Amino acid sequence: MEQECEENVENDLKKIVVNYLEHHNLEEAFDDLLNKILVLRPRDPFRDISRLLLDKSKESKTVLAIEAKEIVGLNGTPSIELELSTINGSFRSHISDVHNNNNYEKDFGRSIIATHVQYFNDGLTNEIIGKCILEQDRIDDYLCNKPDVLAPLVTASSLLCCQAGARANCMCTFEHIALLAGNSNIKLPLPCFEVYTTHIIK
């Protein structure tokens, strides 16, 4: 009786393992991975194995979290910090230009910023989380169709997704932008002069 129970448990475990392997297609994935490593024969195969495995992960290309926070800037005025998280790390953007030139926002800027932060966190975060960071066009289209969101927040969200996409592709941000634009001939302009700004203290 005990032996029969042990065999049933063992069979159940085998079924669980087989179903897991088939669900994630692990056998084929590891065979393909091993073939690529044998063809490339890198100096450090473990580093390349980890990179290739990460490329197969769906979560490595999705937004895990995004949150807007109210902070105090260097000049003492309230501003917004936006943080986006992926499996490859966190990306932050500081938004300082959130005020208009009317007296109401100058006097009550803190409450205005808190309102925008709450609106972003309540209305947009759940919609952005889970989106593929490599689909920049879809993210930008979604953000641009939200007229009630501050323009700097839209720009910062788009830029953070772009930076995260570059990290996922293991390339610099300007290379990722060129890839999105379909530009294979990348030329960075060289500066021919520098501009210095000074402040006169009276």
Side-chain angles (χ1 to χ4, degrees):
M1 185 69 178
E2 292 181 1
Q3 184 177 359
E4 184 178 353
C5 290
E6 291 179 357
E7 290 179 356
N8 291 334
V9 171
E10 186 177 353
N11 290 332
D12 291 339
L13 290 174
K14 286 182 179 179
K15 289 181 181 179
I16 293 174
V17 171
V18 170
N19 290 335
Y20 185 82
L21 291 173
E22 291 178 352
H23 177 72
H24 294 282
N25 199 18
L26 288 178
E27 187 175 357
E28 182 179 347
F30 280 116
D31 287 341
D32 180 56
L33 178 65
L34 183 59
N35 290 331
K36 288 182 178 180
I37 292 297
L38 292 176
V39 171
L40 296 174
R41 292 190 295 275
R43 179 181 299 178
D44 187 356
F46 298 102
R47 182 190 62 183
D48 289 66
I49 287 174
S50 64
R51 180 179 59 81
L52 291 172
L53 284 174
L54 190 62
D55 289 341
K56 292 183 176 295
S57 170
K58 294 181 179 179
E59 286 192 356
S60 67
K61 300 177 179 63
T62 58
V63 178
L64 299 181
I66 184 169
E67 182 182 8
K69 305 175 184 177
E70 182 182 358
I71 62 174
V72 177
L74 295 176
N75 58 356
T77 59
S79 56
I80 300 175
E81 182 184 71
L82 192 63
E83 181 176 5
L84 182 143
S85 299
T86 68
I87 199 172
N88 295 312
S90 297
F91 307 85
R92 293 183 180 88
S93 178
H94 175 218
I95 305 167
S96 58
D97 187 17
V98 293
H99 295 291
N100 291 330
N101 292 325
N102 57 67
N103 293 328
Y104 179 82
E105 285 202 356
K106 286 184 178 180
D107 295 337
F108 303 94
R110 183 176 179 82
S111 61
I112 291 294
I113 289 179
T115 301
H116 285 295
V117 167
Q118 183 177 1
Y119 176 79
F120 183 89
N121 290 334
D122 293 344
L124 272 75
T125 52
N126 291 332
E127 298 294 333
I128 298 176
I129 292 175
K131 289 189 178 297
C132 180
I133 53 180
L134 301 181
E135 298 177 352
Q136 189 72 37
D137 290 341
R138 294 183 61 183
I139 294 175
D140 290 344
D141 289 342
Y142 171 76
L143 291 172
C144 291
N145 289 327
K146 298 294 181 180
D148 295 333
V149 181
L150 282 175
L153 272 176
V154 172
T155 304
S157 301
S158 176
L159 181 58
L160 290 180
C161 289
C162 183
Q163 292 174 342
R167 179 76 63 84
N169 280 335
C170 298
M171 58 177 58
C172 297
T173 304
F174 73 89
E175 293 175 327
H176 181 63
I177 293 175
L179 180 65
L180 294 173
N183 183 11
S184 59
N185 186 18
I186 304 175
K187 292 183 179 180
L188 293 179
L190 296 177
C192 58
F193 61 89
E194 294 182 356
V195 177
Y196 293 91
T197 60
T198 59
H199 298 276
I200 300 177
I201 301 176
K202 296 183 179 180

